[in-house]
Amino acid sequence: MKIYTLESGSGFDALQPSQRPDPEPGPHEVLLRLRAVSLNYRDLAILRGTYGNFPRPLVPVSDGVGEVVAVGPEVRRFKVGDRVIPAYVPDWVRGGPTAETSRRRLGGPLDGLLREYACVHEDAAIAAPAHLTDAEAATLPIAGVTAWHSLFTQGRVGPGDTVVVQGTGGVSLYALQLARLAGARVIVTSRGGDKLDRAVGLGAAHGIHTREHPDWAVRVLLLTGGRGADHVLDVVGGEGVERSIEATRMGGTVSLVGFLESPAVRFDLRRALQKVVRLQAISAGSREDLESLGRALAEHGARPVVDRIFPFSETRAAFEYLASGAQFGKVVIAVS
C-alpha cells in the first residue's frame, strides 16, 4: 500500500511517500480502505517537531474515514462495506480521560491514517453519519470532538448563552455550528474580514476584526452589555489567554484547545480569580463524544465546513496550505 511517513528532520522535506505491505486484521479488528483524511494543526506541529518527540518513521494524520474491506473473526460491531471513522484516542471509550486511556493517539505516538489501508480495533471506531461525504466525515475525530467536548461534555452550553470562538479553523467553525444548534449566540474573532463575513453567513451573530480591534475583549463586553461571554473557545494560547479571560463573564468558562500563538500561556491569575473564571484544558474526547457528535449532526442534517480537498499525490501541498492559514474550515486529502 502507498503511505506517507515522517522521516528525520522537522520541515516539509521530512514528509515522504513510501510503501508498506497491506495489513491484515486481528481477531477484533476491521481493515479499512481509507477514503479521506483531514489535517489538524497538531499534524503540522508534529511535522515541525514542536509537538511531542515521537519515534520516526511515523505515519502522520489522526483523522479519517474508510470503508471496511475485511473483518477479524471476532468482530461484531461492523461488517464489510460499512463506512467507519476511527477514534483519535482509541482507548478512550467513555467517561473522563485517564493516563492509561489517553496515552495512545493516532498520528503520534501510534501510526496515523495517511495511507491506503489501516487496521482498527472495532471498539475504537464509529459508523460514519450517512448524510456526510467522505471529506466531511473525515473531519469529526479531533476538530469536531474537541468542539463538542468543550461546549457540551464539559461546558454545558445551552440556549441563550453567548459563545466566543477565535478564528475560522476547523475547531472554531465546528464550535460555531454546534453552539448555534444548541441555541447559543456566537461571536467570532478573525484577522480576515472576508472570513468574518462567511462566519456570519454560517450563523454567527457578530464578527470582530482583530486587526481593527486588537483588544477584542472590549468589543465582546460591548456586544454583551458589559456582562461578557458565557464561554470562550481559545485556540491561540500565549498571552491571548488574558484577553479570553477578560471577555468572559463572572463564573464563565474558557476552553483552552490550541496554541497557535504560543504553548506558553501567560495571564494575571488575580483577574481570573476575581472573575471566578473556569479554565479548562481540552484534548479531544472519548468515543462516546464522537458518537454523540455524529448523532447531533445527523439529527440536524448539519455538515462540517470543508475548505479544500487535495489528492493523495499532493499531500505536501495540503500541509503547506494548512500552514499558510488561508483556509476557512478543514483541509482534506482524498486517499482513494
Side-chain angles (χ1 to χ4, degrees), residues 6-7 9-11 14 40-56 58-62 88 105-110 142 259 319:
L6 297 181
E7 303 294 333
S10 59
N40 294 282
Y41 182 76
R42 177 182 189 268
D43 302 315
L44 185 61
I46 290 173
L47 180 148
R48 289 170 166 167
T50 59
Y51 186 107
N53 185 25
F54 304 125
R56 299 192 181 191
L58 172 71
V59 180
V61 182
S62 308
Y88 160 54
R105 296 169 185 251
L106 295 182
L110 300 179
I142 287 188
F259 49 92
F319 272 87

Side-chain angles (χ1 to χ4, degrees), residues 27-30 75 77-78 84 86-87 90 104 119-125:
H28 288 279
E29 292 182 329
V30 296
V75 169
R77 297 186 67 232
F78 301 106
V84 167
R104 301 189 328 131
C119 287
V120 177
H121 194 285
E122 63 174 327
D123 291 336

Side-chain angles (χ1 to χ4, degrees), residues 246-295:
E246 285 299 323
T248 306
R249 67 165 172 83
M250 286 285 297
T253 299
V254 176
S255 286
L256 305 172
V257 302
F259 49 92
L260 292 176
E261 178 182 294
S262 171
V265 173
R266 294 184 61 187
F267 61 89
D268 188 336
L269 181 58
R270 292 169 298 181
R271 187 60 176 147
L273 293 173
Q274 289 167 1
K275 300 189 74 174
V276 201
V277 171
R278 178 190 185 197
L279 299 170
Q280 59 180 24
I282 302 294
S283 181
S286 65
R287 192 196 80 190
E288 188 174 62
D289 287 321
L290 181 57
E291 290 170 329
S292 297
L293 169 64
R295 287 194 299 269

Side-chain angles (χ1 to χ4, degrees):
M1 64 174 175
K2 295 178 182 178
I3 66 170
Y4 279 87
T5 57
L6 297 181
E7 303 294 333
S8 60
S10 59
F12 291 112
D13 288 341
L15 183 66
Q16 294 293 327
S18 185
Q19 290 189 342
R20 287 184 184 175
D22 293 349
E24 295 184 4
H28 288 279
E29 292 182 329
V30 296
L31 175 62
L32 299 183
R33 168 74 171 175
L34 275 301
R35 296 302 185 192
V37 298
S38 71
L39 300 184
N40 294 282
Y41 182 76
R42 177 182 189 268
D43 302 315
L44 185 61
I46 290 173
L47 180 148
R48 289 170 166 167
T50 59
Y51 186 107
N53 185 25
F54 304 125
R56 299 192 181 191
L58 172 71
V59 180
V61 182
S62 308
D63 293 2
V65 65
E67 179 185 348
V68 177
V69 294
V71 299
E74 303 299 323
V75 169
R76 298 293 180 266
R77 297 186 67 232
F78 301 106
K79 64 183 185 304
V80 172
D82 287 347
R83 204 165 56 126
V84 167
I85 301 173
Y88 160 54
V89 190
D91 301 321
W92 188 4
V93 176
R94 62 182 59 85
T98 68
E100 291 73 23
T101 60
S102 300
R103 186 175 297 112
R104 301 189 328 131
R105 296 169 185 251
L106 295 182
L110 300 179
D111 275 339
L113 302 177
L114 195 52
R115 46 181 163 163
E116 290 183 303
Y117 293 94
C119 287
V120 177
H121 194 285
E122 63 174 327
D123 291 336
I126 71 162
H131 74 293
L132 299 183
T133 66
D134 289 338
E136 292 165 341
T139 70
L140 270 66
I142 287 188
V145 168
T146 296
W148 180 273
H149 195 82
S150 300
L151 297 178
F152 306 122
T153 306
Q154 297 294 335
R156 300 179 296 277
V157 167
D161 286 348
T162 297
V163 176
V164 174
V165 300
Q166 295 178 332
T168 54
V171 176
S172 297
L173 291 187
Y174 255 114
L176 162 58
Q177 292 177 286
L178 293 172
R180 290 293 299 125
L181 292 181
R185 180 175 70 147
V186 180
I187 299 171
V188 177
T189 70
S190 176
R191 291 178 296 178
D194 58 331
K195 291 183 177 181
L196 287 176
D197 292 339
R198 295 176 69 182
V200 170
L202 284 175
H206 303 282
I208 300 175
H209 198 304
T210 54
R211 285 201 174 102
E212 297 177 1
H213 303 283
D215 194 358
W216 54 267
V218 173
R219 295 290 298 169
V220 171
L221 294 174
L222 288 173
L223 291 169
T224 57
R227 179 176 182 268
D230 298 280
H231 198 119
V232 177
L233 198 79
D234 192 303
V235 302
V236 175
E239 296 184 359
V241 173
E242 191 159 34
R243 284 188 288 274
S244 293
I245 293 171
E246 285 299 323
T248 306
R249 67 165 172 83
M250 286 285 297
T253 299
V254 176
S255 286
L256 305 172
V257 302
F259 49 92
L260 292 176
E261 178 182 294
S262 171
V265 173
R266 294 184 61 187
F267 61 89
D268 188 336
L269 181 58
R270 292 169 298 181
R271 187 60 176 147
L273 293 173
Q274 289 167 1
K275 300 189 74 174
V276 201
V277 171
R278 178 190 185 197
L279 299 170
Q280 59 180 24
I282 302 294
S283 181
S286 65
R287 192 196 80 190
E288 188 174 62
D289 287 321
L290 181 57
E291 290 170 329
S292 297
L293 169 64
R295 287 194 299 269
L297 295 176
E299 176 68 23
H300 294 277
R303 295 180 176 276
V305 179
V306 174
D307 178 274
R308 188 170 171 185
I309 303 173
F310 289 79
F312 195 59
S313 60
E314 296 180 17
T315 287
R316 174 168 173 162
F319 272 87
E320 291 173 338
Y321 182 63
L322 178 65
S324 75
Q327 75 280 1
F328 182 87
K330 296 294 293 181
V331 178
V332 174
I333 298 169
V335 180
S336 60

